[in-house]
mmCIF file of all heavy atoms in Angstrom:
data_model
loop_
_atom_site.group_PDB
_atom_site.id
_atom_site.type_symbol
_atom_site.label_atom_id
_atom_site.label_comp_id
_atom_site.label_asym_id
_atom_site.label_seq_id
_atom_site.Cartn_x
_atom_site.Cartn_y
_atom_site.Cartn_z
ATOM 1 N N LEU A 1197 -20.666 -44.145 -24.606
ATOM 2 C CA LEU A 1197 -21.686 -43.899 -25.630
ATOM 3 C C LEU A 1197 -22.855 -43.096 -25.052
ATOM 4 O O LEU A 1197 -23.380 -42.187 -25.690
ATOM 5 C CB LEU A 1197 -22.186 -45.225 -26.204
ATOM 6 C CG LEU A 1197 -23.190 -45.086 -27.342
ATOM 7 C CD1 LEU A 1197 -22.482 -44.669 -28.625
ATOM 8 C CD2 LEU A 1197 -23.944 -46.382 -27.571
ATOM 9 N N THR A 1214 -27.377 -46.021 -43.784
ATOM 10 C CA THR A 1214 -26.739 -47.240 -43.251
ATOM 11 C C THR A 1214 -27.599 -48.462 -43.562
ATOM 12 O O THR A 1214 -27.080 -49.501 -43.988
ATOM 13 C CB THR A 1214 -26.508 -47.094 -41.730
ATOM 14 O OG1 THR A 1214 -25.732 -45.920 -41.526
ATOM 15 C CG2 THR A 1214 -25.771 -48.282 -41.145
ATOM 16 N N CYS B 1598 -12.906 -52.506 -34.532
ATOM 17 C CA CYS B 1598 -14.013 -51.535 -34.566
ATOM 18 C C CYS B 1598 -14.485 -51.334 -36.009
ATOM 19 O O CYS B 1598 -15.670 -51.365 -36.316
ATOM 20 C CB CYS B 1598 -13.554 -50.198 -33.981
ATOM 21 S SG CYS B 1598 -12.006 -49.593 -34.686
ATOM 22 N N ASN B 1601 -16.530 -54.007 -37.656
ATOM 23 C CA ASN B 1601 -17.897 -54.181 -37.155
ATOM 24 C C ASN B 1601 -18.805 -52.974 -37.313
ATOM 25 O O ASN B 1601 -20.019 -53.096 -37.134
ATOM 26 C CB ASN B 1601 -17.840 -54.592 -35.678
ATOM 27 C CG ASN B 1601 -17.358 -56.020 -35.536
ATOM 28 O OD1 ASN B 1601 -18.115 -56.963 -35.763
ATOM 29 N ND2 ASN B 1601 -16.088 -56.200 -35.229
ATOM 30 N N CYS B 1602 -18.254 -51.810 -37.605
ATOM 31 C CA CYS B 1602 -19.080 -50.603 -37.755
ATOM 32 C C CYS B 1602 -20.025 -50.783 -38.956
ATOM 33 O O CYS B 1602 -19.597 -51.211 -40.028
ATOM 34 C CB CYS B 1602 -18.164 -49.401 -37.978
ATOM 35 S SG CYS B 1602 -19.050 -47.885 -38.360
ATOM 36 N N PRO B 1603 -21.303 -50.473 -38.821
ATOM 37 C CA PRO B 1603 -22.239 -50.719 -39.927
ATOM 38 C C PRO B 1603 -22.277 -49.607 -40.987
ATOM 39 O O PRO B 1603 -22.838 -49.796 -42.067
ATOM 40 C CB PRO B 1603 -23.597 -50.776 -39.212
ATOM 41 C CG PRO B 1603 -23.427 -49.907 -38.009
ATOM 42 C CD PRO B 1603 -21.994 -50.008 -37.601
ATOM 43 N N VAL B 1604 -21.673 -48.465 -40.679
ATOM 44 C CA VAL B 1604 -21.809 -47.297 -41.562
ATOM 45 C C VAL B 1604 -20.883 -47.418 -42.773
ATOM 46 O O VAL B 1604 -19.796 -47.980 -42.678
ATOM 47 C CB VAL B 1604 -21.482 -46.009 -40.761
ATOM 48 C CG1 VAL B 1604 -21.380 -44.793 -41.663
ATOM 49 C CG2 VAL B 1604 -22.527 -45.784 -39.685
ATOM 50 N N ARG B 1618 -15.675 -46.934 -43.142
ATOM 51 C CA ARG B 1618 -16.586 -46.930 -42.005
ATOM 52 C C ARG B 1618 -16.611 -45.560 -41.327
ATOM 53 O O ARG B 1618 -15.759 -44.713 -41.601
ATOM 54 C CB ARG B 1618 -16.144 -47.977 -40.977
ATOM 55 C CG ARG B 1618 -15.932 -49.349 -41.544
ATOM 56 C CD ARG B 1618 -17.194 -49.900 -42.112
ATOM 57 N NE ARG B 1618 -17.170 -51.364 -42.061
ATOM 58 C CZ ARG B 1618 -17.958 -52.120 -42.746
ATOM 59 N NH1 ARG B 1618 -18.837 -51.584 -43.580
ATOM 60 N NH2 ARG B 1618 -17.918 -53.424 -42.632
ATOM 61 N N ALA B 1619 -17.532 -45.406 -40.350
ATOM 62 C CA ALA B 1619 -17.521 -44.165 -39.558
ATOM 63 C C ALA B 1619 -16.351 -44.179 -38.585
ATOM 64 O O ALA B 1619 -15.817 -43.132 -38.229
ATOM 65 C CB ALA B 1619 -18.835 -44.005 -38.807
ATOM 66 N N VAL B 1620 -15.941 -45.363 -38.135
ATOM 67 C CA VAL B 1620 -14.698 -45.468 -37.370
ATOM 68 C C VAL B 1620 -13.693 -46.105 -38.317
ATOM 69 O O VAL B 1620 -13.984 -47.111 -38.944
ATOM 70 C CB VAL B 1620 -14.876 -46.258 -36.050
ATOM 71 C CG1 VAL B 1620 -15.378 -47.662 -36.259
ATOM 72 C CG2 VAL B 1620 -13.568 -46.279 -35.257
ATOM 73 N N TYR B 1621 -12.530 -45.482 -38.437
ATOM 74 C CA TYR B 1621 -11.616 -45.969 -39.475
ATOM 75 C C TYR B 1621 -10.173 -45.605 -39.162
ATOM 76 O O TYR B 1621 -9.894 -44.638 -38.454
ATOM 77 C CB TYR B 1621 -12.019 -45.403 -40.842
ATOM 78 C CG TYR B 1621 -11.853 -43.891 -40.963
ATOM 79 C CD1 TYR B 1621 -10.792 -43.330 -41.668
ATOM 80 C CD2 TYR B 1621 -12.766 -43.035 -40.360
ATOM 81 C CE1 TYR B 1621 -10.647 -41.950 -41.771
ATOM 82 C CE2 TYR B 1621 -12.623 -41.651 -40.455
ATOM 83 C CZ TYR B 1621 -11.558 -41.125 -41.156
ATOM 84 O OH TYR B 1621 -11.410 -39.755 -41.244
ATOM 85 N N VAL B 1633 -10.023 -43.388 -35.815
ATOM 86 C CA VAL B 1633 -10.667 -42.099 -35.574
ATOM 87 C C VAL B 1633 -12.149 -42.272 -35.881
ATOM 88 O O VAL B 1633 -12.508 -43.015 -36.797
ATOM 89 C CB VAL B 1633 -10.005 -40.983 -36.425
ATOM 90 C CG1 VAL B 1633 -9.972 -41.323 -37.892
ATOM 91 C CG2 VAL B 1633 -10.699 -39.645 -36.253
ATOM 92 N N ILE B 1634 -12.992 -41.637 -35.093
ATOM 93 C CA ILE B 1634 -14.431 -41.726 -35.377
ATOM 94 C C ILE B 1634 -14.889 -40.447 -36.054
ATOM 95 O O ILE B 1634 -14.664 -39.345 -35.551
ATOM 96 C CB ILE B 1634 -15.238 -41.999 -34.088
ATOM 97 C CG1 ILE B 1634 -14.900 -43.409 -33.582
ATOM 98 C CG2 ILE B 1634 -16.748 -41.862 -34.343
ATOM 99 C CD1 ILE B 1634 -15.616 -43.827 -32.312
ATOM 100 N N ASP B 1635 -15.489 -40.619 -37.214
ATOM 101 C CA ASP B 1635 -16.052 -39.500 -37.973
ATOM 102 C C ASP B 1635 -17.462 -39.272 -37.397
ATOM 103 O O ASP B 1635 -18.419 -39.927 -37.810
ATOM 104 C CB ASP B 1635 -16.042 -39.933 -39.447
ATOM 105 C CG ASP B 1635 -16.979 -39.146 -40.328
ATOM 106 O OD1 ASP B 1635 -17.548 -38.142 -39.867
ATOM 107 O OD2 ASP B 1635 -17.132 -39.555 -41.500
ATOM 108 N N ILE B 1636 -17.541 -38.397 -36.431
ATOM 109 C CA ILE B 1636 -18.759 -38.271 -35.641
ATOM 110 C C ILE B 1636 -19.951 -37.791 -36.474
ATOM 111 O O ILE B 1636 -21.098 -38.135 -36.195
ATOM 112 C CB ILE B 1636 -18.513 -37.381 -34.384
ATOM 113 C CG1 ILE B 1636 -19.492 -37.698 -33.268
ATOM 114 C CG2 ILE B 1636 -18.528 -35.909 -34.731
ATOM 115 C CD1 ILE B 1636 -19.279 -39.024 -32.611
ATOM 116 N N ASN B 1638 -20.779 -38.814 -39.325
ATOM 117 C CA ASN B 1638 -21.408 -39.948 -40.005
ATOM 118 C C ASN B 1638 -21.692 -41.135 -39.088
ATOM 119 O O ASN B 1638 -22.215 -42.155 -39.536
ATOM 120 C CB ASN B 1638 -20.532 -40.402 -41.173
ATOM 121 C CG ASN B 1638 -20.650 -39.448 -42.340
ATOM 122 O OD1 ASN B 1638 -21.741 -39.233 -42.871
ATOM 123 N ND2 ASN B 1638 -19.548 -38.806 -42.710
ATOM 124 N N CYS B 1639 -21.344 -40.982 -37.815
ATOM 125 C CA CYS B 1639 -21.543 -42.072 -36.848
ATOM 126 C C CYS B 1639 -23.021 -42.106 -36.434
ATOM 127 O O CYS B 1639 -23.630 -41.071 -36.227
ATOM 128 C CB CYS B 1639 -20.642 -41.805 -35.645
ATOM 129 S SG CYS B 1639 -21.001 -42.789 -34.196
ATOM 130 N N ILE B 1640 -23.588 -43.306 -36.357
ATOM 131 C CA ILE B 1640 -24.999 -43.388 -35.944
ATOM 132 C C ILE B 1640 -25.125 -43.781 -34.461
ATOM 133 O O ILE B 1640 -26.204 -44.144 -34.004
ATOM 134 C CB ILE B 1640 -25.809 -44.352 -36.844
ATOM 135 C CG1 ILE B 1640 -25.200 -45.760 -36.827
ATOM 136 C CG2 ILE B 1640 -25.922 -43.825 -38.272
ATOM 137 C CD1 ILE B 1640 -26.156 -46.831 -37.365
ATOM 138 N N LEU B 1641 -24.011 -43.709 -33.750
ATOM 139 C CA LEU B 1641 -23.984 -43.965 -32.296
ATOM 140 C C LEU B 1641 -24.627 -45.314 -31.934
ATOM 141 O O LEU B 1641 -25.403 -45.407 -30.994
ATOM 142 C CB LEU B 1641 -24.673 -42.812 -31.536
ATOM 143 C CG LEU B 1641 -24.062 -41.419 -31.700
ATOM 144 C CD1 LEU B 1641 -24.791 -40.412 -30.815
ATOM 145 C CD2 LEU B 1641 -22.583 -41.415 -31.358
ATOM 146 N N CYS B 1642 -24.257 -46.337 -32.696
ATOM 147 C CA CYS B 1642 -24.812 -47.661 -32.406
ATOM 148 C C CYS B 1642 -24.067 -48.326 -31.249
ATOM 149 O O CYS B 1642 -24.560 -49.279 -30.655
ATOM 150 C CB CYS B 1642 -24.746 -48.544 -33.645
ATOM 151 S SG CYS B 1642 -23.065 -49.020 -34.064
ATOM 152 N N GLY B 1643 -22.849 -47.853 -30.978
ATOM 153 C CA GLY B 1643 -22.101 -48.377 -29.835
ATOM 154 C C GLY B 1643 -21.318 -49.652 -30.099
ATOM 155 O O GLY B 1643 -20.626 -50.147 -29.206
ATOM 156 N N VAL B 1644 -21.408 -50.184 -31.309
ATOM 157 C CA VAL B 1644 -20.734 -51.457 -31.605
ATOM 158 C C VAL B 1644 -19.220 -51.343 -31.377
ATOM 159 O O VAL B 1644 -18.603 -52.221 -30.776
ATOM 160 C CB VAL B 1644 -21.044 -51.913 -33.052
ATOM 161 C CG1 VAL B 1644 -20.124 -53.053 -33.471
ATOM 162 C CG2 VAL B 1644 -22.486 -52.346 -33.155
ATOM 163 N N CYS B 1645 -18.636 -50.242 -31.840
ATOM 164 C CA CYS B 1645 -17.174 -50.101 -31.729
ATOM 165 C C CYS B 1645 -16.737 -50.166 -30.273
ATOM 166 O O CYS B 1645 -15.755 -50.816 -29.934
ATOM 167 C CB CYS B 1645 -16.676 -48.826 -32.397
ATOM 168 S SG CYS B 1645 -17.509 -47.330 -31.869
ATOM 169 N N GLU B 1646 -17.491 -49.487 -29.418
ATOM 170 C CA GLU B 1646 -17.120 -49.478 -28.000
ATOM 171 C C GLU B 1646 -17.256 -50.879 -27.392
ATOM 172 O O GLU B 1646 -16.459 -51.278 -26.549
ATOM 173 C CB GLU B 1646 -17.973 -48.466 -27.240
ATOM 174 C CG GLU B 1646 -17.386 -48.141 -25.870
ATOM 175 C CD GLU B 1646 -18.050 -46.982 -25.155
ATOM 176 O OE1 GLU B 1646 -19.197 -46.634 -25.499
ATOM 177 O OE2 GLU B 1646 -17.430 -46.436 -24.241
ATOM 178 N N ILE B 1654 -12.162 -46.794 -27.196
ATOM 179 C CA ILE B 1654 -13.207 -45.854 -27.655
ATOM 180 C C ILE B 1654 -13.611 -44.949 -26.491
ATOM 181 O O ILE B 1654 -13.874 -45.425 -25.385
ATOM 182 C CB ILE B 1654 -14.443 -46.618 -28.189
ATOM 183 C CG1 ILE B 1654 -14.051 -47.606 -29.304
ATOM 184 C CG2 ILE B 1654 -15.540 -45.644 -28.651
ATOM 185 C CD1 ILE B 1654 -13.598 -47.005 -30.607
ATOM 186 N N PHE B 1656 -16.117 -41.726 -26.125
ATOM 187 C CA PHE B 1656 -17.023 -40.700 -26.647
ATOM 188 C C PHE B 1656 -17.121 -39.463 -25.746
ATOM 189 O O PHE B 1656 -17.871 -38.557 -26.041
ATOM 190 C CB PHE B 1656 -18.426 -41.299 -26.865
ATOM 191 C CG PHE B 1656 -18.532 -42.138 -28.100
ATOM 192 C CD1 PHE B 1656 -18.689 -43.518 -28.022
ATOM 193 C CD2 PHE B 1656 -18.483 -41.554 -29.352
ATOM 194 C CE1 PHE B 1656 -18.800 -44.291 -29.160
ATOM 195 C CE2 PHE B 1656 -18.598 -42.320 -30.509
ATOM 196 C CZ PHE B 1656 -18.752 -43.698 -30.418
HETATM 197 S S1 LIG C 2005 -20.797 -46.014 -32.721
HETATM 198 FE FE1 LIG C 2005 -20.408 -44.986 -34.666
HETATM 199 S S2 LIG C 2005 -18.294 -45.432 -35.181
HETATM 200 FE FE2 LIG C 2005 -18.925 -46.863 -33.572
HETATM 201 S S3 LIG C 2005 -19.600 -48.692 -34.711
HETATM 202 FE FE3 LIG C 2005 -21.424 -47.436 -34.345
HETATM 203 S S4 LIG C 2005 -21.629 -46.129 -36.141
HETATM 204 FE FE4 LIG C 2005 -19.566 -47.001 -36.169
#
Side-chain angles (χ1 to χ4, degrees):
Chain A
L1197 184 75
T1214 304
Chain B
C1598 50
N1601 288 283
C1602 174
V1604 171
R1618 308 298 207 197
V1620 59
Y1621 66 104
V1633 54
I1634 293 180
D1635 161 8
I1636 205 70
N1638 284 301
C1639 166
I1640 58 164
L1641 299 184
C1642 70
V1644 168
C1645 52
E1646 196 170 20
I1654 304 291
F1656 283 110

